[in-house]
Amino acid sequence: MDTAIAVVAALTAGFCFAAGSVVQQGVARQSGDEALRIRLLWDLVRQPRWVGGVALEAFSFVILGVALVFGPLTLVLPLAATDVLFALPLIARRQRRRLTRQDMLGALTVAAGIAIFLAVSPPTSGASAPPIGRWIPVFLALGILVALAAVAALRVRGKPRVIWLAAAAGALYGLLDALTKSTVDLFSSVGWATLVHWEPYALAATGVVGALFGQSAFGAGALSLSLPVIDTLEPVCAVVIGATVFGERLASSPLQLAFQLAGGAAAVAGIALLSRSTIVEAETRDAPEPAQRA
């Protein structure tokens, strides 16, 4: 019974995250391609539909927490990673189009690659609330990566811009996951004294910047392209940060490492397939006109 509850809850979390992303992207797309402008977030938070999409995503994390109560990480996270399989039919329904074999093959390849990467060698527990000295190299590396992605995204349009923005968003969401773990661990040991530490403020700042990149990716083009990129890079970056900052041990054998690399390669191959799919082409071609501002 516990396993059944965990499976249903994890799949429900994946569906809610996909539905929330579809709603958010629909609103962001109507706002036009305003990549990396703070005004974009200000415009979006005043849209009830967008707020509803955010609420759906937040609810997905609550359901994911329920799933983790009843099932192991190795079961729950791969199932939750199937959100792209729910998102694609929702996008096709919004476009009044049918999914092709290439669309489904791309989505299945992405979901399978992420699931393999997460399931084959779950990280062991490591340090709680590591000192800032361990974080500095991560902040520098991700800062450079995100800055390069921003420059590249602002120099191109169409699908390349979507990929660059989504890649930066995925990396930032991976950092957000790690900072959330550190902040929660800190709160469990020192309570409200957490507020005198740097972690919750870094968490808030990363959340804002991540949202800016994520919503910019949604506004720049196809959700059927941006969501798989984010879904792939978020867990990869979170796992790498877990190893470098928290001292978590990853693949314990060459075979497990090979499976992890194969999973990552499969996810990338699926993204390449989706980038040429009819759904992505239709989303790119049929972009709505931006709403007129007063």
mmCIF file of all heavy atoms in Angstrom, residues 23 31 78 183 191 225 228 293-294:
data_model
loop_
_atom_site.group_PDB
_atom_site.id
_atom_site.type_symbol
_atom_site.label_atom_id
_atom_site.label_comp_id
_atom_site.label_asym_id
_atom_site.label_seq_id
_atom_site.Cartn_x
_atom_site.Cartn_y
_atom_site.Cartn_z
ATOM 1 N N VAL A 23 0.554 26.432 -17.908
ATOM 2 C CA VAL A 23 -0.192 27.661 -17.611
ATOM 3 C C VAL A 23 0.753 28.858 -17.562
ATOM 4 O O VAL A 23 0.493 29.913 -18.173
ATOM 5 C CB VAL A 23 -0.959 27.518 -16.285
ATOM 6 C CG1 VAL A 23 -1.581 28.855 -15.882
ATOM 7 C CG2 VAL A 23 -2.043 26.458 -16.405
ATOM 8 N N SER A 31 3.137 37.712 -22.881
ATOM 9 C CA SER A 31 3.840 38.930 -22.483
ATOM 10 C C SER A 31 4.943 39.304 -23.460
ATOM 11 O O SER A 31 5.524 40.384 -23.357
ATOM 12 C CB SER A 31 4.448 38.751 -21.079
ATOM 13 O OG SER A 31 3.431 38.515 -20.130
ATOM 14 N N PRO A 78 12.460 9.456 -9.979
ATOM 15 C CA PRO A 78 12.315 9.097 -11.392
ATOM 16 C C PRO A 78 10.872 9.200 -11.888
ATOM 17 O O PRO A 78 10.636 9.596 -13.033
ATOM 18 C CB PRO A 78 12.816 7.648 -11.438
ATOM 19 C CG PRO A 78 13.779 7.554 -10.309
ATOM 20 C CD PRO A 78 13.177 8.406 -9.229
ATOM 21 N N THR A 183 19.455 25.117 3.864
ATOM 22 C CA THR A 183 18.652 25.981 4.727
ATOM 23 C C THR A 183 17.755 25.164 5.645
ATOM 24 O O THR A 183 17.624 25.462 6.842
ATOM 25 C CB THR A 183 17.800 26.939 3.878
ATOM 26 O OG1 THR A 183 18.654 27.703 3.027
ATOM 27 C CG2 THR A 183 16.993 27.892 4.753
ATOM 28 N N GLY A 191 16.871 26.430 14.418
ATOM 29 C CA GLY A 191 15.573 27.103 14.420
ATOM 30 C C GLY A 191 15.610 28.460 13.741
ATOM 31 O O GLY A 191 16.269 28.642 12.711
ATOM 32 N N LEU A 225 10.340 22.530 -25.631
ATOM 33 C CA LEU A 225 11.793 22.512 -25.721
ATOM 34 C C LEU A 225 12.441 22.961 -24.406
ATOM 35 O O LEU A 225 13.397 22.353 -23.936
ATOM 36 C CB LEU A 225 12.254 23.423 -26.864
ATOM 37 C CG LEU A 225 13.759 23.510 -27.124
ATOM 38 C CD1 LEU A 225 14.343 22.132 -27.415
ATOM 39 C CD2 LEU A 225 14.036 24.457 -28.291
ATOM 40 N N PRO A 228 12.126 20.210 -21.154
ATOM 41 C CA PRO A 228 13.080 19.100 -21.092
ATOM 42 C C PRO A 228 14.500 19.540 -20.749
ATOM 43 O O PRO A 228 15.218 18.822 -20.049
ATOM 44 C CB PRO A 228 13.016 18.514 -22.520
ATOM 45 C CG PRO A 228 11.667 18.881 -23.020
ATOM 46 C CD PRO A 228 11.380 20.226 -22.432
ATOM 47 N N ARG A 293 0.494 47.243 -23.856
ATOM 48 C CA ARG A 293 0.612 47.837 -22.541
ATOM 49 C C ARG A 293 -0.041 49.212 -22.534
ATOM 50 O O ARG A 293 -0.029 49.925 -23.513
ATOM 51 C CB ARG A 293 2.094 47.989 -22.150
ATOM 52 C CG ARG A 293 2.813 46.651 -22.208
ATOM 53 C CD ARG A 293 4.211 46.835 -21.633
ATOM 54 N NE ARG A 293 5.009 45.652 -21.904
ATOM 55 C CZ ARG A 293 4.933 44.528 -21.280
ATOM 56 N NH1 ARG A 293 4.071 44.389 -20.295
ATOM 57 N NH2 ARG A 293 5.692 43.499 -21.586
ATOM 58 N N ALA A 294 -0.562 49.512 -21.371
ATOM 59 C CA ALA A 294 -1.187 50.816 -21.259
ATOM 60 C C ALA A 294 -0.132 51.903 -21.238
ATOM 61 O O ALA A 294 0.954 51.690 -20.722
ATOM 62 C CB ALA A 294 -2.008 50.871 -19.967
#
